Amino acid sequence: MRKYRKGKWSRYGILAGSLAIFLCVVFFLQMLLTPKYMGTVIEGNFTEEYYRDSTRHELLILGNCESYENISPMKLWEEYGITSYIRGNSNQLISQSYYLLREALRYEQPKVVLLNIQAMTVAEQSSEEYNRMVFDGMKWSKDKLEGILNSKREEESLAEYLFPILRYHSRWSELSGDDFRFVFQEKPLKSYQGYYLRADIRPYTEFPTERRRSDYTFPEQNMRYLQEIVTLCQENGIELVLMKAPSMYPVWVEPYEEQITEFAEKKGIYYVNTLLYADEIGIDMSTDTYDEGLHLNVYGAEKLSVWLGEKLRERYDLTDFRGEEGLAQAYNQRLEEYKKEKIEQKEEFERFGYISKYTMQEE
């Protein structure tokens, strides 16, 4: 009997060991095959980079590309000592901003949340890639699960989010040195507190006339999630600010402005449409945009940040942390890196007419 039991436990041990080896191999392959976003489309790193920042943020910024390309947290720090972070991604939906905010409140308690509201016009996600940029780098929690379930496209599978190897198993032919290098090694930061730095210049040109819609009413789901964001901020004693960035396209038509203005007035929320203050801010779309008016480059973003930072500081009594040694050291180090890259991009653009690390992305 003892011999039988010994053989039985021996078989269990072999099975358990085999299973452990199998799971380790699967985990390794999953880490290897998951995109690293190091060469092009660096925005795929933005969600996960938030967890690497241990500083507290009095200002948390949410939204799509109109947030992370138009506001520079480094300039807010340099000018006013404001600590801030942008939780934004390409084509980020209002619902996704809600879940990112709800999750962020597990880690910190900002004094002010600024929400860019251009995404109010978007009814649903246009591609899986945009959803992946939001959720792949997000830590697992109830917020991530509900966020995926509420914004995934019909053809997307929850199982592929739970086990990314199911989604990326065919990436073998696309693997690069970065995929192997960063399987376990920490990747270098690609954003500056969530900001996407661009120092190239492509002046504003006229965009094609947009097709007229029969109805400009914001989607019901977006209004519901906007209210959820309002409620979440109220419950946590956070001041909410709504902002429209000074982007020229897609066109922010009057019906959109009327709906947001009415909502903000009804809820007692500060709303600022920076398109109306472009001259006061000093925005010049012949020099302050890198993609012909869609988004600001670093020169435009810094102008907007100086103007916006002053208003937020005065309105909400934001703290100047430049005298707090430990915090200032972390921010100033990142500020120097930001300035260095800004100069490098500027010099490369002046020499070649483009910035090499972004050319493949745009082609």
Side-chain angles (χ1 to χ4, degrees):
M1 180 65 70
R2 289 181 179 175
K3 185 175 181 181
Y4 170 74
R5 287 181 177 175
K6 185 177 180 180
K8 179 180 178 181
W9 287 112
S10 178
R11 288 196 296 274
Y12 284 155
I14 293 172
L15 286 173
S18 299
L19 178 60
I21 293 172
F22 173 75
L23 292 176
C24 286
V25 170
V26 170
F27 178 73
F28 171 78
L29 292 176
Q30 181 165 282
M31 294 291 289
L32 174 65
L33 293 168
T34 300
K36 308 303 184 294
Y37 301 108
M38 297 306 293
T40 60
V41 196
I42 62 171
E43 300 98 304
N45 294 289
F46 289 0
T47 294
E48 66 180 273
E49 287 188 357
Y50 170 75
Y51 307 106
R52 293 172 58 183
D53 190 276
S54 59
T55 63
R56 61 187 183 273
H57 313 112
E58 278 205 330
L59 172 63
L60 191 64
I61 302 166
L62 299 161
N64 57 14
C65 52
E66 284 203 3
S67 63
Y68 72 78
E69 298 195 53
N70 293 331
I71 302 173
S72 170
M74 293 292 95
K75 196 64 178 177
L76 290 173
W77 167 260
E78 183 180 34
E79 292 292 322
Y80 307 112
I82 295 173
T83 56
S84 62
Y85 205 99
I86 303 172
R87 296 209 78 182
N89 291 274
S90 294
N91 218 46
Q92 184 167 297
L93 303 176
I94 290 294
S95 62
Q96 293 169 339
S97 290
Y98 166 72
Y99 288 110
L100 286 171
L101 172 59
R102 201 173 77 177
E103 187 219 28
L105 296 183
R106 297 173 181 266
Y107 302 96
E108 60 178 330
Q109 188 75 12
K111 182 182 285 188
V112 178
V113 165
L114 185 150
L115 175 68
N116 187 275
I117 43 79
Q118 194 278 330
M120 287 296 296
T121 68
V122 182
E124 59 184 7
Q125 198 54 276
S126 59
S127 74
E128 178 190 1
E129 285 73 19
Y130 291 131
N131 279 336
R132 287 285 173 180
M133 286 185 191
V134 176
F135 293 119
D136 276 355
M138 193 175 177
K139 290 185 176 180
W140 273 106
S141 65
K142 178 183 177 182
D143 306 307
K144 177 171 178 172
L145 179 60
E146 289 185 10
I148 292 169
L149 291 174
N150 280 279
S151 58
K152 72 180 183 69
R153 292 156 61 85
E154 186 176 343
E155 62 269 25
E156 293 181 64
S157 164
L158 177 60
E160 292 182 345
Y161 282 96
L162 292 168
F163 306 103
I165 193 171
L166 299 177
R167 173 64 180 84
Y168 298 120
H169 66 276
S170 60
R171 281 194 69 241
W172 291 104
S173 61
E174 303 173 21
L175 293 180
S176 67
D178 286 336
D179 287 296
F180 290 92
R181 187 177 305 112
F182 299 112
V183 170
F184 297 112
Q185 180 182 330
E186 188 172 71
K187 295 184 287 185
L189 294 172
K190 289 295 184 179
S191 75
Y192 295 90
Q193 305 294 102
Y195 171 64
Y196 177 66
L197 196 163
R198 295 292 296 253
D200 37 346
I201 300 172
R202 289 184 178 82
Y204 167 71
T205 58
E206 296 258 344
F207 290 101
T209 303
E210 290 187 77
R211 181 177 297 178
R212 292 183 61 85
R213 300 184 183 184
S214 59
D215 184 7
Y216 285 93
T217 304
F218 292 142
E220 186 276 332
Q221 175 174 283
N222 290 352
M223 293 301 298
R224 178 161 49 86
Y225 273 106
L226 180 57
Q227 179 57 53
E228 291 285 351
I229 291 173
V230 172
T231 301
L232 191 59
C233 288
Q234 290 174 341
E235 291 175 346
N236 287 273
I238 299 169
E239 298 285 355
L240 177 63
V241 176
L242 305 180
M243 188 195 85
K244 173 66 185 78
S247 300
M248 305 302 292
Y249 192 87
V251 178
W252 185 254
V253 296
E254 190 59 33
Y256 295 155
E257 180 71 5
E258 290 172 356
Q259 290 173 82
I260 284 294
T261 300
E262 180 181 357
F263 180 88
E265 289 177 351
K266 183 178 179 181
K267 302 295 179 180
I269 297 170
Y270 178 44
Y271 164 59
V272 56
N273 180 353
T274 59
L275 280 166
L276 304 178
Y277 299 96
D279 290 340
E280 181 179 325
I281 296 168
I283 298 294
D284 180 352
M285 282 298 179
S286 68
T287 58
D288 293 335
T289 174
Y290 77 88
D291 53 6
E292 302 176 347
L294 283 171
H295 309 98
L296 300 178
N297 56 25
V298 66
Y299 313 113
E302 289 185 348
K303 291 178 182 178
L304 176 58
S305 299
V306 170
W307 182 87
L308 182 65
E310 182 177 11
K311 293 198 173 299
L312 295 179
R313 181 187 61 170
E314 292 175 352
R315 193 179 187 94
Y316 302 108
D317 192 28
L318 294 177
T319 308
D320 183 345
F321 285 103
R322 286 174 292 185
E324 189 169 316
E325 185 176 349
L327 190 60
Q329 183 178 2
Y331 266 83
N332 287 335
Q333 179 180 340
R334 197 66 182 136
L335 177 60
E336 289 306 309
E337 294 167 357
Y338 166 88
K339 288 181 175 180
K340 180 182 177 182
E341 181 172 350
K342 177 182 170 182
I343 292 171
E344 289 173 349
Q345 285 195 25
K346 178 177 182 291
E347 290 176 347
E348 183 178 13
F349 180 73
E350 289 176 346
R351 183 177 180 185
F352 300 109
Y354 61 86
I355 297 173
S356 57
K357 69 178 181 178
Y358 296 131
T359 53
M360 287 179 61
Q361 178 177 331
E362 291 165 355
E363 289 171 359

